[in-house]
């Protein structure tokens, strides 16, 4: 059985990928420090509580298990925080990722799927954004993802491994079977904030109402977390099939404004959601919409939940049934 080391496998996206790996008869081995992940999000997979900075534990893990491939999710991922605490991001997202790569090299692991981000592009000069678009990140988070992509590219050039880097646009939604969902603390993402506002009666701040977009609010491309998970399995299979390194966008190619998301959340929940115009959030580009034809054509990816209403419906089921998330107070 193929063993996949999944760093950050107790996190939002990682846990959905682990579920899909199990369904497809892989053996996921979750390595997570539980700083933002949840032990309860890892149900039937092998689990090791460990930090990537702990190279002894990392080496022990590779010694104990024969790892066939790595999926690397573990990272800090808040754009706003990265602007305030850049060093934290360079340490966790770059230095620790290099430690992982070093250990992979030592144990001859040659397949690597990397969780990258649309944040590598910065302010786009073209919509939808193709993979060839210049990468000029506008915040430290995007910078760290871009740096590590280049490290992977150098490794691949020297024939040390093959990698696929997946540049996610806005991951959203939840496991349609209701077992897994989004539980960040603090929560910064629009869809969970809008849905939780219906439960708590808060107003949703709209960060910027004067952007050069039809309704003045930022436009994003929301992609269902299960569609992201499927894309990771396809990436793994592509690497199993030979020397197929590459970079792929993952989005639906449809842009929705902040106001449109809030309106859809009202429709799905049947509840009113108060919103309040607020200042722009530093580092937010006005529009991010993916060109993801490459993923469809080359990897055969077919999104199962492309429309925003379905994405929000699955998220709503999770938040309604788990108002405290995983209930582990993190
Ligand atoms: N927003 C609000 N109010 C909120 C929360 C968000 O108006 O309370 C707005 C944001 O300003 C943004 C949009 O809603 O315009 C979406 O914001 P999210 O925080 O949900 O997502 P981001 O687009 O900021 O972040 C996503 C990924 C990041 C990635 C980034 C690239 O989650 O990992 O895209 O810019 F880095």
């Amino acid at each position: 059985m193929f063993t996949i080391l999944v760093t950050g496998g107790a996190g939002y996206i990682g846990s959905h990928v682990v579920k899909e790996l199990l369904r497809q008869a892989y053996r996921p081995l979750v390595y997570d420090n539980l700083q933002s992940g949840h032990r309860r999000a890892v149900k039937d997979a092998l689990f090791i509580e460990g930090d990537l900075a702990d190279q002894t534990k990392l080496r022990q893990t590779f010694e104990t298990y024969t790892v066939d491939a790595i999926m690397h999710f573990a990272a800090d991922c808040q754009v706003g925080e990265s602007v305030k605490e850049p060093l934290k991001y360079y340490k966790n997202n770059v230095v620790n990722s290099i430690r992982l790569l070093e250990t992979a090299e030592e144990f001859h692991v040659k397949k690597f799927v990397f969780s990258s981000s649309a944040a590598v592009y910065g302010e786009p000069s073209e919509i939808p954004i193709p993979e060839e678009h210049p990468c000029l990140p506008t915040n430290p988070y995007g910078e760290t993802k871009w740096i590590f992509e280049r490290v992977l590219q150098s490794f691949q050039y020297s024939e040390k491994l093959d990698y696929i880097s997946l540049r996610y646009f806005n991951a959203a939604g939840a496991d349609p079977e209701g077992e897994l969902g989004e539980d960040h603390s603090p929560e910064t993402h629009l869809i969970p904030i809008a849905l939780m506002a219906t439960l708590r009666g808060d107003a949703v701040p709209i960060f910027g109402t004067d952007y050069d977009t039809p309704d003045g609010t930022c436009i994003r491309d929301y992609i269902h977390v299960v569609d992201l998970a499927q894309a990771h399995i396809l990436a793994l299979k592509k690497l199993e099939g030979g020397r197929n390194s590459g970079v792929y966008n993952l989005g639906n190619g449809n842009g929705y404004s902040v106001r449109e998301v809030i309106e859809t959340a009202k429709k799905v929940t049947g509840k009113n959601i108060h919103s309040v115009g607020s200042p722009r959030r530093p580092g937010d580009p006005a529009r991010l919409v993916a060109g993801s034809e490459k993923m469809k054509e080359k990897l055969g990816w077919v999104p199962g939940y492309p429309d925003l209403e379905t994405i929000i419906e699955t998220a709503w089921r999770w938040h309604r049934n788990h108002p405290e998330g995983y209930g582990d107070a993190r």
Side-chain angles (χ1 to χ4, degrees):
M1 199 187 274
F2 238 60
T3 301
I4 317 296
L5 180 78
V6 187
T7 75
Y12 169 48
I13 300 174
S15 60
H16 284 81
V17 174
V18 166
K19 183 167 178 176
E20 198 52 39
L21 283 167
L22 286 167
R23 205 200 305 269
Q24 303 214 20
Y26 286 96
R27 183 165 81 144
L29 168 59
V30 172
Y31 189 91
D32 196 303
N33 64 7
L34 297 183
Q35 213 171 283
S36 50
H38 303 272
R39 181 65 186 87
R40 289 176 190 164
V42 183
K43 304 218 182 305
D44 304 319
L46 295 165
F47 177 78
I48 293 167
E49 185 170 345
D51 197 294
L52 289 177
D54 182 352
Q55 220 153 358
T56 308
K57 191 153 211 173
L58 197 56
R59 291 191 78 257
Q60 275 169 1
T61 304
F62 279 80
E63 271 160 9
T64 310
Y65 301 92
T66 304
V67 173
D68 296 291
I70 296 170
M71 287 189 172
H72 180 36
F73 297 93
D76 285 323
C77 62
Q78 290 175 40
V79 172
E81 185 189 52
S82 80
V83 176
K84 292 188 190 122
E85 290 189 61
L87 215 54
K88 180 179 176 198
Y89 280 71
Y90 285 95
K91 277 189 194 158
N92 287 343
N93 296 1
V94 180
V95 177
N96 285 348
S97 297
I98 289 173
R99 286 198 174 108
L100 173 65
L101 217 46
E102 209 175 4
T103 317
E105 187 183 8
E106 189 183 335
F107 288 86
H108 310 289
V109 182
K110 290 181 173 294
K111 295 177 183 58
F112 199 103
V113 180
F114 177 51
S115 168
S116 187
S117 168
V120 299
Y121 294 116
E123 191 68 57
S125 56
E126 187 186 345
I127 293 281
I129 309 174
E131 284 84 354
E132 302 72 37
H133 188 284
C135 289
L136 298 165
T138 51
N139 54 62
Y141 168 69
E143 197 69 64
T144 60
K145 291 286 176 183
W146 174 227
I147 291 172
F148 194 64
E149 278 202 15
R150 283 184 293 161
V151 174
L152 284 171
Q153 198 180 49
S154 306
F155 250 60
Q156 189 254 331
Y157 281 155
S158 60
E159 306 212 336
K160 291 188 189 297
L161 55 65
D162 279 296
Y163 75 97
I164 287 184
S165 188
L166 299 174
R167 294 177 178 164
Y168 316 152
F169 283 63
N170 287 59
D175 171 25
E177 289 168 6
E179 286 182 348
L180 306 169
E182 193 164 8
D183 180 3
H184 294 117
S185 184
E187 187 51 80
T188 60
H189 295 108
L190 177 62
I191 291 177
I193 284 177
L195 293 175
M196 286 190 300
T198 67
L199 301 171
R200 297 179 184 168
D202 311 332
V204 178
I206 298 182
F207 298 139
T209 52
D210 58 351
Y211 283 98
D212 183 18
T213 58
D215 67 13
T217 68
C218 286
I219 291 178
R220 293 289 181 272
D221 183 344
Y222 295 87
I223 171 170
H224 198 283
V225 65
V226 169
D227 288 333
L228 272 182
Q230 298 289 358
H232 284 76
I233 311 289
L234 293 171
L236 191 60
K237 290 192 191 300
K238 188 80 177 169
L239 292 176
E240 284 167 22
R243 309 218 53 210
N244 291 314
S245 292
V247 173
Y248 298 85
N249 282 341
L250 274 179
N252 282 307
N254 303 316
Y256 294 96
S257 73
V258 173
R259 288 195 200 282
E260 284 172 324
V261 169
I262 295 173
E263 284 310 308
T264 310
K266 282 185 193 169
K267 185 172 168 206
V268 167
T269 59
K271 294 175 194 282
N272 194 21
I273 300 176
H274 300 287
S275 58
V276 49
S278 303
R280 290 183 179 196
R281 197 169 61 174
D284 267 351
R287 291 169 200 256
L288 286 173
V289 179
S292 51
E293 292 315 305
K294 186 176 171 191
M295 189 71 202
K296 291 179 180 151
E297 281 166 18
K298 300 220 162 148
L299 268 68
W301 180 62
V302 183
Y305 307 92
D307 72 288
L308 184 64
E309 202 171 314
T310 315
I311 292 173
I312 296 183
E313 266 165 21
T314 61
W316 175 231
R317 207 172 311 144
W318 164 259
H319 290 293
R320 204 182 39 204
N321 293 334
H322 303 85
E324 303 302 327
Y326 287 100
D328 51 7
R330 215 183 9 261

